[in-house]
Amino acid sequence: NDVNKKSQAIKLVVDNLNFALDSLTLKLKQGGGYYCDSDTTNVYPVGADSRNCSGESRLAFRVEDGAGSYDYYIYLFSGNKLRFSKGIGSSVSMSPLVPITADEVNINIGRFYVFDNGLPDKQPRALISVYGTATAGKQTSSFAVETTVSDRR
């Protein structure tokens, strides 16, 4: 059935987007030191203070590795993709930014918002907002996804 094949193809593409966002939110829950801006590089903002932001394309944060060191993460909406970079240890040498969404996922607008960062009586939280299209064959579907994540430390 042609309709069934199209439906399954779109589901696979949307599953890719869900996996990418789930991996981001899992790390965010474990992390801290949220920092976002509109930089498009994989350079981690070492020494920058955590800060609130409203609608930026890049989010950087760190996750304690359990041995007194940190893993560093950058997520970037760029070139119609969600991109990812990771650095390990004190050198903060980051890997190249690589897309973690499939070619069939076209992100038209992707933004990060951070609230309550650095407030002693509040848990920081991040809102991730993504709008775009998913294409499978000749079938294109629009999507709008928003999710909020709070620091669980």
Side-chain angles (χ1 to χ4, degrees):
N1 184 333
D2 196 37
V3 172
N4 188 33
K5 287 180 184 178
K6 288 179 184 178
S7 176
Q8 288 177 350
I10 288 293
K11 183 180 180 330
L12 286 174
V13 172
V14 171
D15 285 349
N16 169 263
L17 176 65
N18 287 338
F19 180 77
L21 291 176
D22 283 349
S23 68
L24 165 57
T25 58
L26 177 64
K27 289 299 176 195
L28 266 175
K29 288 177 186 178
Q30 300 168 346
Y34 302 154
Y35 180 89
C36 45
D37 58 22
S38 58
D39 192 343
T40 59
T41 70
N42 68 331
V43 177
Y44 193 84
V46 175
D49 291 330
S50 299
R51 66 180 189 152
N52 292 331
C53 62
S54 182
E56 299 291 351
S57 59
R58 185 177 88 141
L59 176 66
F61 59 96
R62 64 184 180 267
V63 176
E64 192 168 356
D65 68 2
S69 190
Y70 289 96
D71 293 338
Y72 298 88
Y73 296 88
I74 293 175
Y75 286 86
L76 171 70
F77 290 110
S78 173
N80 295 1
K81 300 287 170 223
L82 176 58
R83 299 173 187 279
F84 165 80
S85 176
K86 180 180 179 183
I88 299 172
S90 59
S91 68
V92 194
S93 177
M94 302 297 293
S95 64
L97 282 159
V98 294
I100 59 172
T101 49
D103 289 340
E104 296 83 3
V105 174
N106 184 37
I107 297 174
N108 298 324
I109 301 171
R111 295 286 180 257
F112 297 106
Y113 302 81
V114 174
F115 309 96
D116 299 331
N117 214 358
L119 298 177
D121 59 339
K122 301 270 187 174
Q123 275 189 307
R125 64 189 195 287
L127 170 69
I128 305 158
S129 183
V130 185
Y131 303 90
T133 58
T135 303
K138 295 179 183 177
Q139 181 77 21
T140 299
S141 297
S142 297
F143 62 83
V145 178
E146 287 190 344
T147 187
T148 301
V149 181
S150 64
D151 177 347
R152 290 183 132 184
R153 295 174 303 132

